C-alpha cells in the first residue's frame, strides 16, 4: 500500500523538498493534497506535476485563480482554514507534512494530530505556541510525531528507541542522557561588528551562508530567534529540563545536533545542509530510503568549529531561552511579536536591531497568565500581535 500524504505549505522550501523526495519513490508515496497560502501560480505548477486529489489555498481569491489555471484536470480546489484542517485530517491520509510557516500552521497541524496521523513536524510554532497542549493531544489521539527541522531530526536519530516513541514523555536522565546540544550556524552576521548590525538590509539578512530558506526563517536565523524557537520546541519534544538543553554555534552546519550521554559518549548526526535528508527519514521511519543527498566526503570536509552564542549579538535567542521557562504565555507572545517585527523589517519599516527591541517590549507589556486551550492561545496571540504593531509604528 502506498503512503498517502498531505503537504501543508507545499510551495515553501520544505514542501518542495518533500515533493522531490516523494517523486523519487513513486512506488511508496502518493500525494493526496497540497496546500498553500496565496501563490496560485506556483501551486498550479505543483498540481499539474504531482496530480493531488485536493489543492487548498488559504486565500479565497488565490483559490479562484488556481481553479482557472488548473483547467480540466481532476483536482478539487478548496479554500480557507477549515479546508486546510479537512485535508490534514482526511480518512484517506496516512502522513501529514506540517510545513506552514508561522502561527497559521497551528490549527491544521492540530487537526492532523487529533485525527491520529503520522505528523512530520516542520512548523515550529505549533510547539512554541501550544507545547503542552500539543504534546498532550499527540498522546491522547495516538498520533505519531516525527520532527523534521534538521536539528530536532538529528537529535531524534541520536536518541534511544524508548525516548523516540512516544515523544515528549520520557525521562532523559533515566534513559542515560546528560544533555541535548542544539547546533546553529550563527547566521550571516556571525562575524559582523556589532555596531554595524542596525544598518543591515533584508537582502543581507536573507543571505544565509549554508542553507537555502524562505525570507522569514532566514531573518530568524540572522537574529538566532530561529534557534530560540527550536530551543523551545526541543524542550517539549524531548521533555528537557533547563540544564539538559544547550545551544552551540557551529558555523559549518555539518553536525546538525548532538546528544551527550551520562557515560561520556556524545552521539552526533552529520550530513550535508540539505532538508531532503530529514524529510526522507521522517517519511520512511524506521527505514531509510534514498533522499537524493550525497554523503559527506570527510577527506575534503575541513575543520569543524564550535563557539557559544553571544547574547549581545543574539538578544532574540536569550529572550527565547528565558521565555521557554517562563511559560506558554511568554513563548506565544514572543513568537507573535517576532512575526510582526520580521515582516516590518522585510518591508524596510524598521531596522534589523529593532526586532529584538519589539519582542522584548511586548513581553514586558503582557501579563503572565495560564493558557490551557487552543482558543485561548489564539486570542492571546492576537493581543501580542496588536502590541507588536504598536511598537512597529513607534519605530517607523
Amino acid at each position: 500500500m502506498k503512503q498517502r500524504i498531505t503537504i501543508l505549505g507545499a510551495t515553501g522550501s520544505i514542501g518542495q523538498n518533500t515533493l522531490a523526495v516523494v517523486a523519487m519513490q513513486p512506488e511508496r508515496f502518493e500525494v493526496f493534497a497540497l496546500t498553500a497560502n496565496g501563490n496560485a501560480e506556483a501551486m498550479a505548477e505543483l498540481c499539474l506535476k504531482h496530480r493531488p486529489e485536493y489543492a487548498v489555498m488559504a486565500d479565497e481569491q488565490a483559490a479562484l485563480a488556481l481553479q482557472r489555471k488548473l483547467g480540466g484536470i481532476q483536482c478539487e480546489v478548496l479554500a480557507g482554514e477549515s479546508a486546510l484542517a479537512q485535508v490534514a485530517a482526511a480518512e484517506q491520509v496516512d502522513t501529514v507534512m506540517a510545513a506552514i510557516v508561522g502561527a497559521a500552521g497551528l490549527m491544521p497541524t492540530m487537526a492532523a494530530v487529533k485525527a491520529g496521523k503520522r505528523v512530520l513536524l516542520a512548523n515550529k510554532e505549533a510547539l512554541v505556541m501550544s507545547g503542552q497542549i500539543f504534546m498532550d493531544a499527540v498522546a491522547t489521539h495516538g498520533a505519531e510525531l516525527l520532527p523534521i527541522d534538521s536539528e530536532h531530526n538529528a537529535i531524534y536519530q541520536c536518541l534511544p528507541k524508548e525516548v523516540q516513541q512516544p515523544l515528549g514523555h520520557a525521562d532523559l536522565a533515566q534513559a542515560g542522557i546528560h544533555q541535548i546540544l542544539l547546533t546553529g550556524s550563527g547566521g550571516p552576521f556571525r562575524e559582523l561588528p556589532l555596531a554595524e548590525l542596525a544598518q543591515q538590509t533584508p537582502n543581507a539578512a536573507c543571505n544565509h551562508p549554508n542553507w537555502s530558506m524562505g525570507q522569514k526563517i532566514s531573518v530568524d536565523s540572522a537574529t538566532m530567534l530561529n534557534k530560540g524557537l527550536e530551543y523551545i520546541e526541543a524542550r517539549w519534544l524531548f521533555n528537557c529540563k533547563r540544564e539538559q538543553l544547550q545551544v552551540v554555534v557551529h558555523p559549518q552546519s555539518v553536525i546538525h545536533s548532538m546528544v551527550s550521554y551520562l557515560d561520556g559518549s556524545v552521539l552526533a548526526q552529520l550530513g550535508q545542509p540539505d532538508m531532503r535528508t530529514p524529510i526522507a527519514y521522517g517519511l520512511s521511519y524506521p527505514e531509510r530510503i534514498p533522499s537524493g543527498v550525497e554523503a559527506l566526503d570527510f577527506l575534503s570536509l575541513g575543520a569543524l568549529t564550535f563557539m557559544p552564542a553571544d547574547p549581545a549579538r543574539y538578544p532574540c535567542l536569550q529572550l527565547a531561552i528565558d521565555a521557554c521557562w517562563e511559560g506558554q504565555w511568554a513563548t506565544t507572545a514572543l513568537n507573535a511579536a517576532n512575526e510582526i517585527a520580521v515582516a516590518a523589517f522585510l518591508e524596510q519599516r524598521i531596522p534589523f536591531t529593532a526586532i529584538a527591541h519589539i519582542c522584548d517590549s511586548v513581553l514586558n507589556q503582557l501579563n503572565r497568565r495560564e493558557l490551557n486551550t487552543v482558543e485561548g492561545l489564539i486570542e492571546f496571540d492576537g493581543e501580542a500581535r496588536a502590541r507588536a504593531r504598536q511598537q512597529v509604528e513607534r519605530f517607523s
Side-chain angles (χ1 to χ4, degrees):
M1 292 287 291
K2 290 185 179 181
Q3 192 180 144
R4 307 196 80 195
I5 301 168
T6 286
I7 301 176
L8 302 172
T11 57
S13 60
I14 297 293
Q16 292 187 56
N17 277 312
T18 302
L19 287 167
V21 174
V22 165
M24 290 183 67
Q25 309 281 338
E27 72 287 352
R28 295 181 66 119
F29 306 115
E30 182 178 347
V31 177
F32 174 76
L34 300 177
T35 86
N37 182 33
N39 192 338
E41 188 169 338
M43 185 65 145
E45 290 181 15
L46 295 179
C47 290
L48 290 169
K49 181 176 181 180
H50 298 281
R51 299 300 175 103
E53 292 184 33
Y54 292 91
V56 182
M57 304 298 293
D59 180 80
E60 292 193 8
Q61 292 303 313
L64 293 173
L66 176 62
Q67 203 153 25
R68 289 192 295 270
K69 290 176 182 293
L70 291 183
I73 77 161
Q74 287 190 326
C75 176
E76 187 171 348
V77 178
L78 304 173
E81 188 175 278
S82 62
L84 293 173
Q86 176 186 327
V87 297
E91 185 179 351
Q92 304 97 310
V93 173
D94 304 298
T95 300
V96 176
M97 170 58 79
I100 296 175
V101 175
L106 174 58
M107 296 305 284
T109 304
M110 188 66 85
V113 166
K114 290 182 176 179
K117 305 300 182 186
R118 169 178 279 197
V119 178
L120 309 185
L121 189 65
N123 169 275
K124 295 177 177 60
E125 291 75 14
L127 281 171
V128 170
M129 289 180 65
S130 65
Q132 191 64 65
I133 296 171
F134 190 90
M135 296 308 295
D136 288 348
V138 169
T140 299
H141 297 281
E144 184 181 15
L145 188 64
L146 289 156
I148 298 301
D149 269 351
S150 62
E151 296 80 4
H152 302 100
N153 190 270
I155 293 162
Y156 188 89
Q157 292 191 48
C158 295
L159 292 172
K161 284 284 192 294
E162 64 266 26
V163 180
Q164 285 184 336
Q165 293 295 336
L167 273 181
H169 299 283
D171 184 321
L172 294 184
Q174 191 172 3
I177 295 166
H178 167 244
Q179 197 173 49
I180 285 172
L181 302 165
L182 194 63
T183 60
S185 71
F189 304 148
R190 188 183 67 250
E191 297 178 354
L192 191 76
L194 293 178
E196 297 179 19
L197 284 175
Q199 286 75 51
Q200 298 310 303
T201 65
N203 283 341
C206 291
N207 187 25
H208 196 281
N210 301 335
W211 296 91
S212 176
M213 305 179 291
Q215 283 192 314
K216 195 268 181 183
I217 195 170
S218 294
V219 175
D220 284 350
S221 180
T223 64
M224 278 196 83
L225 192 280
N226 187 49
K227 201 56 50 183
L229 298 181
E230 290 171 7
Y231 180 100
I232 297 164
E233 193 178 0
R235 179 259 174 104
W236 293 111
L237 282 171
F238 308 118
N239 196 28
C240 300
K241 297 175 182 176
R242 187 162 191 159
E243 65 273 14
Q244 292 173 323
L245 193 53
Q246 182 182 355
V247 174
V248 177
V249 175
H250 169 50
Q252 294 80 22
S253 296
V254 170
I255 296 178
H256 298 304
S257 277
M258 300 171 275
V259 177
S260 171
Y261 283 83
L262 295 172
D263 64 1
S265 300
V266 178
L267 300 187
Q269 189 267 339
L270 288 73
Q272 304 282 2
D274 192 313
M275 287 305 299
R276 289 176 296 172
T277 296
I279 288 167
Y281 183 81
L283 285 169
S284 64
Y285 178 85
E287 300 176 49
R288 291 184 185 266
I289 59 172
S291 66
V293 180
E294 292 185 7
L296 287 173
D297 178 1
F298 282 89
L299 298 181
S300 62
L301 198 56
L304 301 180
T305 58
F306 308 89
M307 62 196 71
D310 179 7
R313 184 176 299 278
Y314 304 115
C316 284
L317 172 61
Q318 192 59 51
L319 286 174
I321 291 172
D322 292 340
C324 179
W325 308 105
E326 278 290 316
Q328 207 69 75
W329 72 274
T331 56
T332 299
L334 175 63
N335 178 70
N338 179 67
E339 286 192 19
I340 297 299
V342 169
F345 168 68
L346 288 169
E347 293 166 1
Q348 301 187 54
R349 297 171 59 202
I350 61 171
F352 177 76
T353 48
I355 296 171
H357 290 300
I358 289 169
C359 290
D360 189 29
S361 179
V362 170
L363 283 167
N364 286 327
Q365 288 177 31
L366 294 170
N367 297 321
R368 172 187 286 273
R369 66 193 75 177
E370 291 296 320
L371 297 171
N372 299 318
T373 66
V374 172
E375 293 74 20
L377 287 167
I378 297 297
E379 182 180 348
F380 185 71
D381 174 83
E383 183 181 341
R385 287 169 192 273
R387 298 292 182 99
R389 290 188 187 98
Q390 292 172 0
Q391 293 298 315
V392 166
E393 292 304 317
R394 290 184 180 132
F395 271 96
S396 299

